[in-house]
Amino acid sequence: MTTPPLRLFFALPCPPELAARICAWRDGLHHDGQPVAQANLHLTLAFLGSVPRGRKAELRAIGERLPRQGFSLELDHLARWNNGILHLAPSSVPTALHELVQALLEALRAGGFEVEARPFHPHITLARHAHHTPATTVCFPLPAQAVTLFSSENSPTGVRYRAIGEWPLESA
């Protein structure tokens, strides 16, 4: 019997206290989407999809070699894509984030991992299946404190993201 693959992605985790503030704000909005669980808030850097369990060590080695320059994002733009994803995004993206994502994607491709071809749009998903965007102003600072390799796991209570590798970034 073969072991099922893992569904993996690299991301910037949302610190728990910030996630709580964002969710309290989101829950006060009049939106019609399905909210993302507070514990699952993150900013995806690279989505890998299904990866054989035996390749975790390779991914951890890639994480070890990533740039360590910290930065902060100002999540100041609430938007909704046509697929119904209600999200928070920065209106300005720091150079350090672009460099981190570029280094990560290059290392993944060099290691033979498939990565999404679509352009990188940093965001935190707040809700799925939303049909409109509430009118509001917002600004949440997101400190990039670590890069985390997450496994997306189904559970009886819904999807749960479990950290299987983490690499701290220097203070911004």
Side-chain angles (χ1 to χ4, degrees), residues 70-102:
F71 53 90
S72 184
L73 291 168
E74 297 294 325
L75 300 171
D76 58 358
H77 182 70
L78 178 66
R80 184 185 63 82
W81 286 316
N82 290 338
N83 64 1
I85 300 291
L86 185 66
H87 62 277
L88 273 176
S91 26
S92 175
V93 180
T95 301
L97 175 56
H98 283 295
E99 290 171 353
L100 174 62
V101 170
Q102 189 61 36

Side-chain angles (χ1 to χ4, degrees), residues 8-22:
L8 302 177
F9 61 95
F10 281 91
L12 299 177
C14 187
E17 61 281 353
L18 178 59
R21 287 191 4 250
I22 289 172

Side-chain angles (χ1 to χ4, degrees), residues 134-158:
T136 186
T137 57
V138 62
C139 188
F140 290 103
L142 172 66
Q145 300 170 329
V147 173
T148 303
L149 176 60
F150 284 104
S151 173
S152 176
E153 302 171 349
N154 291 321
S155 74
T157 57

Side-chain angles (χ1 to χ4, degrees), residues 149-170:
L149 176 60
F150 284 104
S151 173
S152 176
E153 302 171 349
N154 291 321
S155 74
T157 57
V159 175
R160 179 177 87 96
Y161 301 145
R162 182 174 58 91
I164 59 174
E166 186 167 87
W167 302 273
L169 299 175
E170 298 168 359

Side-chain angles (χ1 to χ4, degrees), residues 17-29 38 41 140:
E17 61 281 353
L18 178 59
R21 287 191 4 250
I22 289 172
C23 286
W25 169 80
R26 174 203 60 202
D27 295 345
L29 296 175
Q38 179 176 314
L41 294 188
F140 290 103

